[in-house]
Amino acid sequence: MTGQCMPRRRGTWMRTLAALGCAGFVMAALPACGAKDTGSAETPKRTDVEVVAFQQPWTSIAKECASTYGPEGVAYVEVSPPQESIQGTQWWTSYQPVSYRLDSKLGTEAEFQDMIETCDAAGVGIIADVVLNQTTGAAAADQGGWREGIAGSRYDPSTGAYPAFTADGAYPDGVDAKDFHDYADGASINGYMDQQEVQEGRLSGMWDFDTSSEKVRDIQSDYLKRLYDMGVKGFRMDAVKHISAEDMQAIKQRMAEKVGKDPDDIFWIQEVIGNAAEASGIQPRNYFGTGTVTQFAYTSNLNSALRGDVSSLADVGERLGDAGRNKFAIPSKDANVFVTNWDTARNPGQAITYKDGALYPLANAFLLSYDYGTPRLLSDYRFADRDAGAPGATDTSVPAVDFDEACAAAGGDWNCQQRWTPTRGMIAFHNYVHGTKVTDLQEPDSSLLAFSRGDRGFVAFNNGTKEAAHEFSTTMPDGEYCDVYAVEDCSRTVRVRNGKVQVMLAPTSAVALYAGATKTTHPSANRAVDPSTPQW
C-alpha cells in the first residue's frame, strides 16, 4: 500500500514539488514521508539498453555519456550516420552519403573518435548508423553538374559519379553508374511485392548500390572496418530490406575477415520492416543469419494497445516472437524493439511519441519492463515540420548542444527523454530484472495490466482516464520499495505485504518497483524529479 503522504495524481504531485522550489527537488520538502537518500546502493549493472541520440553532435554525445548515459546504466548509444552526406538542413540529408569520409554535419573525424573513447570510458558503447543501400537522389541531366558534400567531396548526381567512395587507397576513381543497380532503366520503387524491384530499384529516387559487386563490397566493408577499428561497438544497418540477405551477409563476412573476428561476434542491427503485404524475400526472417532485426510490429502493437485495451499486451511477446503462432515472428533474441524511432515519429498515427504526453513515458516503461527483445529508446528534438533538422541546423552543420542547459527545464527545443525521471527509473528497473521472466501477469480490466519479474521486480500500468485502485499479487518479497517510475530519491514508496501490493494508479501512469531500490538501499539521488521531466 502506498504511504499516506503519497499524492493521488502524478501531475498534481509533480506541480507541488515544482512549487516548493526544490532546486533539484530537495528531500527536505518531504519530511513527512521519512525518505532518506542513503546512497547505499549502486545503480544496477548495465545490460543491453540502447538510446538513439538522433541528430546530435559528437561533442554533445561525449559529454552526455559521461554525465548521463554512463551513470544511469545505458549500454549503447546509437549515433546518426557519421559519413559525409549531401548538404541541407533536413535530418534526412544524413542518409544520402557522398563518401565514407568521417566528416559530417555532426562533427569531424577527430571529434567522432573522441566521442567513442569518452563514451567507452563511461561504459557506453557506440553504435553507428550505417547507410549502404544508397547514395544521393539521381538528378535529371538538366539538373546535373558537380556538387559538393559536407566535407567538400565532389559528386555528380545526374551521371552517378561519386569519386570519393574509395577503400584504403584502392579504387582511386571512386564509383560511377556501373556500380549501381539499373533496374528498369533507373526506375524508383513503386511496390513491395516484387523482391527484385525492392532490392534493385531506387528508393525515393536515390542511386542504389550494386551490393553484389566485389568492388562495392570491398569499399563498404572497408568503411565498416574503419569504424570498428576506431572502437565502434555495433552497427545499425539502414534500409536493409532493400539489400538482399545474401549481399548483407557477404558484406558482414568480408568486414569480419578484415578485422579478424567471427561475424557472429559483431553486433549487427538490421532495419527491416516486416509486412504481410510485402514480398517473402524481404521479410525480417531472411536476415536472422546475419544479425538482429528491428521489430516494427512491436511499435504498432504498443500504439494500438496503449490507446485502447492495454490488456492486449499481456501476450505480445508470444504473439510477435513465436513462429508457431505467427509466421512473421521475430524471436526475442533477434528482435530490437522500440516505442518509436525518427521515421515513425514523423508519420502521424504510426507510433506513440513525445507529442502524446503521458502516454509516451508509459509506453517506454512497458518497453523496459517486459521481457521481449532488446529495448531501444529515442532521444530527439521537438518538431512541427517533419523534415526539420536538429535545432539550429545549417546546410553543413548542427551546433553543439549543452544538455545541462537544454534540459534545465521541460519544454525546450530538445526533448531530453534520456534524462526524464521515468526513463532513469525504468532503465535501472530493466537492468536489475534482466534475465528474468514475466510472472504473475494480471489484467483485471482493459485499462490495467501488472506483472512481476520473478522476485526482482513488479510493475503496474493504467492507461485509463481515471485513477484506479487495485490489489495485485506479486512474487516480490514483502517490504517497502521505491516507486522508480515516479521519483529518483525514494520519496514515494509502495509496500508489499503477504505477496500482495495495493496501488493507486493515476490516469496514464505506472508504478515500478525493484528489489534493489528500498529506503535503505536505493541508488543515490539528490532530487525527486529531474527538471527536464514534463508535467504531464
Side-chain angles (χ1 to χ4, degrees):
M1 181 180 292
T2 53
Q4 291 181 351
C5 61
M6 186 182 76
R8 295 175 65 86
R9 290 187 63 86
R10 175 174 168 82
T12 303
W13 167 75
M14 292 180 68
R15 287 190 292 274
T16 300
L17 284 178
L20 288 170
C22 296
F25 306 110
V26 295
M27 292 177 301
L30 297 164
C33 294
K36 292 182 179 180
D37 182 14
T38 65
S40 61
E42 296 181 352
T43 301
K45 184 178 179 180
R46 71 189 78 251
T47 57
D48 61 352
V49 176
E50 306 164 12
V51 175
V52 179
F54 182 62
Q55 289 292 293
Q56 295 172 20
W58 312 147
T59 55
S60 302
I61 293 172
K63 291 178 181 178
E64 197 69 349
C65 276
S67 66
T68 302
Y69 294 127
E72 71 185 13
V74 171
Y76 301 98
V77 169
E78 179 186 307
V79 302
S80 292
Q83 87 295 314
E84 181 184 14
S85 68
I86 64 172
Q87 297 188 28
T89 61
Q90 303 92 335
W91 63 266
W92 44 259
T93 57
S94 293
Y95 291 84
Q96 295 194 28
V98 301
S99 81
Y100 291 142
R101 291 176 59 182
L102 292 174
D103 291 303
S104 73
K105 67 170 61 179
L106 301 174
T108 65
E109 180 174 352
E111 290 168 338
F112 186 69
Q113 181 70 73
D114 181 72
M115 173 193 66
I116 293 170
E117 294 172 359
T118 301
C119 291
D120 186 64
V124 182
I126 292 296
I127 295 174
D129 198 351
V130 175
V131 184
L132 301 184
N133 178 66
Q134 74 267 352
T135 56
T136 76
D142 59 355
Q143 297 175 326
W146 291 96
R147 305 180 188 180
E148 287 190 357
I150 295 295
S153 293
R154 299 173 69 245
Y155 67 99
D156 186 341
S158 62
T159 64
Y162 296 86
F165 281 109
T166 61
D168 194 22
Y171 315 109
D173 295 327
V175 301
D176 57 30
K178 296 188 299 297
D179 300 304
F180 298 98
H181 287 126
D182 189 29
Y183 177 80
D185 296 322
S188 290
I189 300 166
N190 289 314
Y192 283 80
M193 288 304 295
D194 184 327
Q195 180 180 347
Q196 183 181 8
E197 179 181 354
V198 174
Q199 296 180 341
E200 296 184 13
R202 292 178 180 173
L203 174 62
S204 300
M206 295 181 285
W207 287 90
D208 190 82
F209 268 119
D210 180 1
T211 46
S212 66
S213 157
E214 291 300 311
K215 174 183 174 181
V216 170
R217 288 178 179 179
D218 199 28
I219 291 172
Q220 295 187 334
S221 61
D222 193 73
Y223 171 51
L224 295 170
K225 174 186 182 297
R226 187 177 179 194
L227 294 174
Y228 189 88
D229 288 344
M230 292 179 76
V232 168
K233 295 295 192 294
F235 303 88
R236 183 264 183 187
M237 312 306 293
D238 181 65
V240 165
K241 75 176 180 182
H242 297 282
I243 303 172
S244 76
E246 294 77 17
D247 290 353
M248 191 87 272
Q249 193 163 32
I251 292 168
K252 185 180 185 183
Q253 178 66 43
R254 184 165 300 190
M255 175 259 190
E257 291 170 357
K258 290 181 176 182
V259 299
K261 294 290 183 179
D262 187 309
D264 291 341
D265 294 333
I266 299 172
F267 188 20
W268 202 261
I269 304 167
Q270 301 165 105
E271 186 203 21
V272 192
I273 307 172
N275 191 320
E278 295 183 349
S280 174
I282 66 173
Q283 298 298 331
R285 59 180 176 269
N286 297 286
Y287 298 89
F288 292 167
T290 309
T292 63
V293 297
T294 50
Q295 175 53 293
F296 280 80
Y298 190 87
T299 299
S300 58
N301 270 257
L302 279 181
N303 187 33
S304 175
L306 288 176
R307 296 185 194 278
D309 184 353
V310 72
S311 66
S312 66
L313 291 174
D315 67 342
V316 67
E318 290 76 20
R319 283 190 287 107
L320 299 183
D322 183 356
R325 294 183 60 177
N326 173 11
K327 69 177 182 178
F328 299 102
I330 301 175
S332 180
K333 66 181 180 60
D334 297 318
N336 275 258
V337 294
F338 48 96
V339 172
T340 189
N341 69 3
W342 57 94
D343 281 321
T344 57
R346 286 161 175 77
N347 287 283
Q350 281 194 357
I352 296 168
T353 75
Y354 78 90
K355 296 184 179 184
D356 290 302
L359 202 60
Y360 186 49
L362 190 69
N364 279 305
F366 184 86
L367 175 85
L368 290 165
S369 60
Y370 196 70
D371 63 345
Y372 174 73
T374 300
R376 309 178 76 223
L377 303 172
L378 177 64
S379 171
D380 66 349
Y381 51 89
R382 306 174 76 85
F383 64 90
D385 175 2
R386 58 175 289 168
D387 293 328
T394 70
D395 284 346
T396 58
S397 67
V398 172
V401 52
D402 183 338
F403 281 108
D404 287 338
E405 294 182 5
C407 305
D413 290 340
W414 290 91
N415 283 319
C416 303
Q417 298 105 311
Q418 73 274 18
R419 294 190 176 203
W420 293 354
T421 290
T423 304
R424 294 179 186 270
M426 295 311 300
I427 289 173
F429 180 100
H430 175 89
N431 288 338
Y432 192 85
V433 306
H434 186 69
T436 65
K437 296 293 184 184
V438 166
T439 58
D440 310 311
L441 204 148
Q442 298 147 83
E443 40 189 309
D445 62 42
S446 62
S447 296
L448 297 178
L449 178 68
F451 51 82
S452 299
R453 294 295 296 268
D455 61 356
R456 298 183 69 80
F458 168 84
V459 63
F461 302 88
N462 174 20
N463 75 324
T465 58
K466 298 179 180 178
E467 274 186 332
H470 197 82
E471 181 178 80
F472 295 99
S473 299
T474 180
T475 43
M476 282 191 72
D478 286 359
E480 187 175 9
Y481 299 96
C482 314
D483 178 4
V484 298
Y485 184 84
V487 294
E488 298 172 31
D489 64 355
C490 205
S491 55
R492 176 170 174 169
T493 62
V494 176
R495 184 174 293 277
V496 176
R497 290 191 178 93
N498 300 318
K500 303 289 185 181
V501 54
Q502 291 184 353
V503 293
M504 177 68 75
L505 288 160
T508 321
S509 190
V511 165
L513 324 172
Y514 69 86
T518 69
K519 280 190 173 182
T520 57
T521 65
H522 67 89
S524 178
N526 61 4
R527 63 190 170 208
V529 177
D530 190 277
S532 67
T533 309
Q535 295 183 22
W536 297 293

